[in-house]
Every structure is written in structure tokens, then in C-alpha cells.
Amino acid sequence: MTARREIPTIPDVAREAGVSMATAARALGGYGSVSAAAKERVAQAAKTLGYRPNVVARSMITGRTNAIGVVLADIENAFFSSAVRGIADAARAAGQHVILANTDEDIEKEHAAIRVFVERRVDGLIVCPTDGTDRTYLRGIIEQGTPVVLLDRRIRGLRADSVGIDNHRAAYEATRYLLAAGHERIGVVTGTASDVEAALHRPGLVGVENLVGMTGGERTAGYRDALLQAGIEPRVDYVVSGGGYRREDAVAATKELMALEEPPTAILPLDSILSLGVLQAVRELGLRCPRDVSVVGFDDAEWTETVTPPLTVVAQPVQEIGARALQRLLSRIDGSRQRPVHETLETTLVERESVGPPLSEG
Amino acid sequence: MTARREIPTIPDVAREAGVSMATAARALGGYGSVSAAAKERVAQAAKTLGYRPNVVARSMITGRTNAIGVVLADIENAFFSSAVRGIADAARAAGQHVILANTDEDIEKEHAAIRVFVERRVDGLIVCPTDGTDRTYLRGIIEQGTPVVLLDRRIRGLRADSVGIDNHRAAYEATRYLLAAGHERIGVVTGTASDVEAALHRPGLVGVENLVGMTGGERTAGYRDALLQAGIEPRVDYVVSGGGYRREDAVAATKELMALEEPPTAILPLDSILSLGVLQAVRELGLRCPRDVSVVGFDDAEWTETVTPPLTVVAQPVQEIGARALQRLLSRIDGSRQRPVHETLETTLVERESVGPPLSEG
DNA sequence: CTGTTAGCGCTTTCAC
DNA sequence: GTGAAAGCGCTAACAG
């Protein structure tokens, strides 16, 4: 139970070193000009006293906190935790800290988190927005002076940088891959019910890319266009959602798909948790992958090469997406006034063993 | 390109509302006493001006930042991302924010992260320490006034709360489970090379629990004691590490194990990534689980019921561990002077299909 | 209940 | 190169 020593301040150090407060501050803060001798004495005094700069006082003056607010759905999700890793590493290199908020795809929580971050005077925000149409809120934040970079998703009509992948193209290529393997009946398992609803009302899946949950919408559109280009009419009953992004949802969706009169011979789950659900449902139905159904997933999760069969996936450079988002944010913080850029990083189709030829009609 | 409006301050609001700065501050800050009428006018003025409190100015006075520093090895690791989720949820409820730092088990990075957090004047720290013997550094931090709670691991001789599981008991029970299934030759795959080195030099695995990487050490000791209690002499060549906690390391370790003259009939990987490696190695060796080798893993990762076979694991309540750690930290922040407590939460053995009877001698 | 007055610990003019 | 003084935006005594 040592008494809680108070952390010494600059005046304390100045006194100890026998210099003025301003000199001590300059030596400690590494700005202005100080003679080598003074610098040395101050450093010595700081050391013996155990001086630690008070970053909050500094922030109050400089107006910069060296903190970045990161707003995403759920850090437990492997995609986000990788992205945060990328952000955090880049941040560390730039002397910035990462503050985290989970929204669970709840727009109220998202707004609340952003508001509190702004009150905290974060230098900038990296946001993975819940709602692709919610532009007014973020526009206000940006106009008021806090730079924002969007991650993984975009918001139409918002003047903010974004970093992610080309979702349309990624799904397009995955679908073409399945097509090339001979599949013509390809199902999609998504988490966003609105993707499906819209699909149900728009024969041929016209316009899915205008949907709210853009990642799902863009991917569904990419899938549709690959089909169309191959001369196959997209079927609305082949795009299903179990109501959410949990594994059970994908299990339900997959079972629904396989219960169709003409079940698909291949399935495209739109994220890694959904892939897990598809695989599980396939097994529960007593089917074998890829003999009975082929699967191409999204995101190269840690388990993809350990499941049976090893899963073929569209891999995104997730950490790099995070790192690039931070980079863009930093340059905005540094005052870049360049018009918004939407950066898309390359995806890779990692071929493993979950795709085979379609099961010939029984 | 709207001009960047400056955020209004309390004096601005006071002027607009026609009250004194102190009254405005009290109304806005929710402290002291203000008449309902004044409160109303201030609220109105704040709204029209778009006032946002400046948390950093407030922090400078109150000395509290409402920020918690979380220092862990790697947020990408599912264990840590779940723990952070638990911490973040509890923090949000308490009006606290979470700042993150990854150490990659590097003591230098850990110290640097902690130092910077202290300079940031975080209200407290949750640390998953790299080195179980490194007590002086953290002791200094605590004495200087920043409360610290340890997560998942402990440090001998450090007066700080900790929250985790009873690692010895968890491994003990997992081993007994394997023993009950008839296994007598049980291997351990760990990531910490020092566990193994120590084991190699201490016949019978005496003293592994004194090791630096405590989680691994305690679990290895629990394993050893279960064996001893069953009258089986622990074999030093049954505890292996591939040099780290990556999947490849576990693949190498498992192959080493299975190449022994008398290979084990069951394997206990000490964390979830290692489990993935064990499973992968088993398959690469052309063996089947559980027919040829049984496996009991640690941590109930998202993929455990989807791999083939579904994996039997020791599940930890990871989010709750995080939440409890935050709770303990808050009470320390609030000045609790109670002597340090080491809280262990219950684990659950989740039986799935990766354990069978031992393969009878060929 | 309200207003006035000091600062929190630091950076930043501005003289010297 | 160094010192003195003036704040950053807010809270915390104090009076009134």
C-alpha cells in the first residue's frame, strides 16, 4: 500500500532542473529550441521525478487527441477483428490510438457511438455504416470538422473516402468460377432479409445493388450479372436469407434452398459465418460437399482449410483494408481536401476442395 | 464544401441563452443545481448552436478520462476479440470507452502501450500480460495510481485483481475425460516452447506451473496431475510445441507427436488455433479423428461444431471474463482498497464427437 | 439558485 | 535560447 504518488507536472520538472517552465516544456515536448545543456538537465530531472506527459492537457491546446474512433458492427466477427488489427497497426506507427465501439448493426447505437467520439474530440472516424442510405448524420459530422472514412461499406451521396473491395466483381468472379465448373443452378445465402425481399419483388434481381445493406446487395448483383452474362435467368427463389448473419440463419436458409423442387447444385454464402452455416446444413441434410453441393464462401477465415472439405473462398485483404482506411483518414486529418476516393483492394479466389462438378440429375 | 464551423463552447451557449457561463455549464454538465427554466433555455440554445461538450477539457479538470486501456496479444485472436466484446459492452454501460493495444506477446510493445495509456491518463488498464514474472513494471503503474486488472493470465507477487478460469482444473478435467474414455497415452500441444523445455528438464513435469506463460504452464500441470492421479507416469515427450501459437506450429507439433514410437491416442491442444492445427495434421497424416486419435480442444470457437468431426472442447465464458474484468476495474477506479482478488469463472466441457475409445494396438 | 473567479497542465505568443 | 504571461474549455470553489 504505497501512497499514491501524484504524477509530477512540468512545473515540478522545471523546478527540479532549475529552468523556467517554458524551457522544461520545450525540452519535454520536443518543440521550439532548447540548448543541449538545458535539454539534458530537464531530461535528467524528468527521469528522477518519473515525469509522464499529460496527453489530455496537450490535446486541449493542440486540439488533437491522437485518437481514432472505430465504429463497427461487432469486434467478435473475424472480419472486423482483422480490420481493426490492420487499423491498429497502422495507427501505432502513426502515433494514434484506436477507440472501439460496437453497433450490432443498430443505427441508434451507431449514432450514439459517433456522437460520443466527436465529444471526445477524436481526430477522425473509421465507420462501417449500418445503413447505406443514412447520409445526413455523417454529413453533419464531417461538415462540423471530423474526418470520416468508410470501411467495407459505402454510403451513396456522402462525400467521404471509403476502402473495401469491389463486391460486385468479387461475387461475379466467384459465380463465374462455379459456372465454369458446370453449375447452372447456383444459390445465394445472405443475411440481409431486404436483399431477398427486394429480389422477390424484382424478377431477375433487377436493382438489388440499390439496397440498403450494400455489401450484400452488391454481391447479389455481381452474382446476378454473372448468371445473366452466361445466359441464365436468375431465379428469385435461389436468393435466401435466414433473417440474419448468424450460423443458424444460414443453416435455415440452406435447408430452404435444398428443399426446393430443383435445388441448387452450388451455394454462395456471402460471408464466413454464413459459410459455416451452409457447411453445417449440408452435413445435417446428409449431403456431401462437393459431391452433392459445391460451395464458394467469402472471407478466408482461419478455419477454411481445416473444415471438410477445405473451403474455396473469395479472400479479402482485410488487414490491409483497415490499414488503408487509416492511411486515408490520416491524410484527411492532415487537411487533404482532395475529392473523396473509393479505394477497392484486390480479392483472391482461393481454390480448395469445396467445388466439384454439379450432381447429375437423380 | 461547407465551411468547417467551429464547435461552439459553453460561453457561446451561455451568451445565446442569456445566462452566466457557470449556469450554462451546470445545465450542460448535469451537476450543481439549475432552475428548470434556465435548464430549458440552455438546452434550447445548445441545440440551436449545435453544442457538443468537450470531453477533453472536462477530463483535464476531473482527472478522469472515462477511458480504459486494454492491452492484449492480438485482437485478431478469437479469444481476445470475444474478451474485448465483453469488456466493451460492460464499458458502454458504464460510460467508459475502450482503447486497444496489441502486443504480439512482445514485452517491449506491452510496456510501451501501457506507458502511452498512462500518459493518456486512462482511468484504468486491463492487461493480458506477456510475461508472468514481470511484476515490477506493472507494480510501478499501480503505485503511481492507475488501477490494473489482469485478464486470462496472472503475475505472481503483483497486487492486482485478475479474472480468468481455473486453468489447472480445466485441463485436469479434460484429461480425466480422456482417461475415462480409456486413453492412457495423451499428448499435449502447446505454443509456449518454455513449457516444453521445462518439461524436458524436469522428469514427470514437476514444476511446470511455475513457468512464465502461466496459462500453458497451469494447463500442463493440470494435465500432469490428472495423469498422476490415475497412476500414469507423465511422459515428457508427450508435451510438444511447434514454437508458437500459429496453426502451422501445431501441425508440426502434432506430426512430431504422431511420429513417436508409441504415439499418443489422444491429443490436448491448449488453445483454439492449436486445435485447428492438430486437426489439420491428423488429416494430413491420413488419420481419422476420433477413430485413430481423439482430440479435446480449448475454447469454443465458432467453427468447433462445423469441423469434421465436431470438436469436443473446454469452453470458457470469454465475454463474461471480459465483463467481469471491467467490473473489477471500475470498482478499483472508484477507490476500492480491498485486497486483490483472483476471480475464476466456470468452464464447461462441451462433448461433441472428437473423442472415442483409444485405437487398439496395431 | 446563480454569478464570479480561479485554475487543471500544457503550448504558444511575445519580449528579452 | 530563454522567460513571462496568456489562455485551450471546462469544473469547482466561493460568494451572493
Side-chain angles (χ1 to χ4, degrees):
Chain A
M1 290 298 165
T2 311
R4 172 181 168 147
R5 282 180 255 134
E6 283 304 317
I7 304 181
T9 65
I10 286 190
D12 297 329
V13 176
R15 207 170 303 122
E16 173 83 12
V19 297
S20 76
M21 175 178 145
T23 302
R26 282 191 267 254
L28 260 12
Y31 57 90
S33 30
V34 200
S35 67
K39 201 174 285 180
E40 173 56 33
R41 273 193 302 155
V42 171
Q44 196 52 49
K47 196 170 173 190
T48 63
L49 257 39
Y51 171 77
R52 303 265 123 235
N54 184 329
V55 175
V56 358
R58 177 177 297 165
S59 291
M60 202 167 69
I61 297 197
T62 60
R64 294 196 43 175
T65 51
N66 295 314
I68 300 297
V70 176
V71 180
L72 38 73
D74 177 14
I75 186 66
E76 245 187 303
N77 180 307
F79 176 85
F80 292 120
S81 68
S82 289
V84 168
R85 186 49 148 118
I87 294 171
D89 285 352
R92 207 170 70 92
Q96 292 276 354
H97 270 162
V98 169
I99 313 183
L100 216 60
N102 300 105
T103 67
D104 294 313
E105 308 282 6
D106 173 341
I107 191 83
E108 299 297 333
K109 282 193 191 176
E110 180 178 315
H111 289 182
I114 293 173
R115 190 183 61 242
V116 185
F117 281 160
V118 171
E119 292 177 355
R120 268 220 134 81
R121 300 298 193 267
V122 293
D123 290 346
L125 290 166
I126 292 179
V127 179
C128 178
T130 288
D131 181 344
T133 63
D134 177 41
R135 63 185 111 146
T136 41
Y137 192 80
L138 279 175
R139 174 150 35 216
I141 300 299
I142 294 168
E143 283 176 358
Q144 160 269 223
T146 307
V148 174
V149 170
L150 265 22
L151 184 131
D152 183 48
R153 312 181 344 189
R154 293 189 203 171
I155 293 183
R156 289 268 168 98
L158 181 72
R159 298 185 58 83
D161 296 335
S162 72
V163 181
I165 60 164
D166 184 336
N167 285 296
H168 183 284
R169 185 166 152 203
Y172 178 88
E173 286 175 359
T175 308
R176 283 188 60 94
Y177 178 78
L178 251 9
L179 253 8
H183 295 274
E184 303 205 328
R185 303 206 309 268
I186 304 172
V188 168
V189 171
T190 177
T192 319
S194 52
D195 290 359
V196 183
E197 269 172 42
L200 290 172
H201 293 106
R202 295 166 189 263
L205 305 183
V206 176
V208 276
E209 60 273 68
N210 288 321
L211 292 179
V212 170
M214 305 134 298
T215 307
E218 284 177 15
R219 290 179 189 173
T220 308
Y223 151 85
R224 172 201 63 196
D225 292 346
L227 253 33
L228 251 19
Q229 204 225 2
I232 296 173
E233 195 54 35
R235 291 172 52 158
V236 128
D237 55 349
Y238 275 2
V239 180
V240 291
S241 156
Y245 283 93
R246 294 162 313 163
R247 192 178 48 222
E248 311 85 87
D249 299 322
V251 169
T254 305
K255 288 184 175 173
E256 188 180 321
L257 228 30
M258 300 312 288
L260 290 173
E261 206 153 318
E262 278 195 322
T265 61
I267 301 179
L268 193 63
L270 297 188
D271 85 3
S272 71
I273 298 286
L274 296 176
S275 298
L276 235 21
V278 169
L279 255 21
Q280 184 177 328
V282 166
R283 203 179 47 211
E284 287 178 11
L285 290 169
L287 303 173
R288 309 271 306 212
C289 172
R291 201 195 56 195
D292 305 309
V293 232
S294 291
V295 179
V296 174
F298 267 84
D299 295 349
D300 199 15
E302 59 190 18
W303 46 264
T304 47
E305 42 183 320
T306 312
V307 289
T308 318
L311 190 67
T312 293
V313 295
V314 176
Q316 310 187 44
V318 191
Q319 280 207 22
E320 204 185 333
I321 289 174
R324 294 296 309 146
L326 189 90
Q327 231 63 61
R328 296 226 97 89
L329 185 58
L330 288 178
S331 74
R332 291 298 171 183
I333 290 171
D334 289 346
S336 161
R337 289 236 159 272
Q338 180 190 344
R339 51 179 314 222
V341 345
H342 300 287
E343 181 172 352
T344 57
L345 304 190
E346 291 301 310
T347 56
T348 325
L349 186 76
V350 183
E351 299 184 46
R352 288 201 268 252
E353 301 162 31
S354 60
V355 175
L359 185 62
S360 45
E361 300 287 336
Chain B
M1 286 300 162
T2 311
R4 170 179 171 150
R5 288 178 250 136
E6 282 305 315
I7 304 181
T9 65
I10 285 190
D12 298 327
V13 176
R15 208 170 304 123
E16 173 83 11
V19 297
S20 76
M21 176 179 148
T23 301
R26 281 191 269 254
L28 262 9
Y31 57 91
S33 31
V34 201
S35 68
K39 202 174 284 178
E40 175 53 34
R41 272 194 301 155
V42 171
Q44 197 50 51
K47 197 171 172 191
T48 63
L49 258 40
Y51 172 78
R52 301 267 126 235
N54 184 329
V55 175
V56 358
R58 177 177 297 165
S59 291
M60 203 166 66
I61 297 199
T62 61
R64 295 195 44 175
T65 51
N66 295 315
I68 300 296
V70 176
V71 181
L72 39 73
D74 177 15
I75 187 66
E76 244 187 305
N77 180 306
F79 176 85
F80 291 120
S81 67
S82 288
V84 167
R85 185 49 147 119
I87 294 171
D89 286 351
R92 207 170 70 93
Q96 291 277 353
H97 270 163
V98 169
I99 314 183
L100 216 59
N102 300 104
T103 66
D104 295 311
E105 307 283 5
D106 174 342
I107 190 82
E108 300 296 335
K109 282 193 190 174
E110 179 178 317
H111 288 182
I114 293 174
R115 192 182 60 242
V116 186
F117 281 158
V118 171
E119 293 177 354
R120 268 219 134 83
R121 300 299 192 266
V122 292
D123 290 345
L125 291 166
I126 293 178
V127 179
C128 178
T130 290
D131 181 345
T133 63
D134 177 42
R135 63 184 113 145
T136 43
Y137 192 80
L138 278 176
R139 183 165 8 232
I141 300 298
I142 294 168
E143 283 176 358
Q144 161 268 222
T146 306
V148 174
V149 170
L150 267 23
L151 185 131
D152 183 50
R153 295 137 51 166
R154 293 190 202 168
I155 294 182
R156 290 265 168 100
L158 181 71
R159 298 185 60 82
D161 294 335
S162 72
V163 181
I165 60 163
D166 183 336
N167 286 294
H168 183 285
R169 187 167 149 200
Y172 179 87
E173 286 174 359
T175 308
R176 283 186 59 95
Y177 179 78
L178 252 8
L179 253 8
H183 296 273
E184 303 205 329
R185 302 207 310 268
I186 304 172
V188 168
V189 171
T190 178
T192 320
S194 52
D195 290 358
V196 183
E197 268 170 42
L200 291 172
H201 292 105
R202 296 169 189 258
L205 307 182
V206 177
V208 275
E209 60 272 68
N210 288 321
L211 290 180
V212 170
M214 304 136 301
T215 307
E218 283 177 14
R219 290 181 188 172
T220 308
Y223 150 85
R224 172 203 62 195
D225 292 345
L227 253 33
L228 250 20
Q229 205 228 0
I232 297 172
E233 195 55 35
R235 291 173 51 159
V236 126
D237 54 351
Y238 275 4
V239 180
V240 291
S241 156
Y245 283 93
R246 295 163 312 162
R247 193 178 46 222
E248 311 87 87
D249 299 322
V251 170
T254 305
K255 288 186 173 170
E256 188 180 319
L257 228 31
M258 300 311 290
L260 289 174
E261 204 153 319
E262 278 195 321
T265 60
I267 300 179
L268 193 64
L270 297 190
D271 84 5
S272 71
I273 298 286
L274 296 176
S275 298
L276 235 23
V278 169
L279 255 22
Q280 183 176 330
V282 165
R283 201 179 47 210
E284 286 177 12
L285 291 169
L287 302 173
R288 309 271 304 212
C289 172
R291 201 194 57 196
D292 304 309
V293 231
S294 292
V295 179
V296 174
F298 266 85
D299 295 350
D300 199 15
E302 59 190 18
W303 47 262
T304 47
E305 40 183 320
T306 313
V307 290
T308 319
L311 191 66
T312 293
V313 296
V314 175
Q316 309 187 46
V318 191
Q319 281 207 21
E320 204 185 333
I321 289 174
R324 293 296 307 147
L326 188 90
Q327 230 63 61
R328 298 224 95 89
L329 185 59
L330 288 178
S331 73
R332 291 298 173 186
I333 291 171
D334 288 344
S336 161
R337 288 235 160 275
Q338 181 191 342
R339 51 179 314 224
V341 343
H342 300 288
E343 183 172 352
T344 57
L345 304 189
E346 291 302 308
T347 56
T348 325
L349 186 75
V350 182
E351 298 184 48
R352 287 199 268 253
E353 301 162 30
S354 61
V355 175
L359 184 64
S360 45
E361 302 286 336

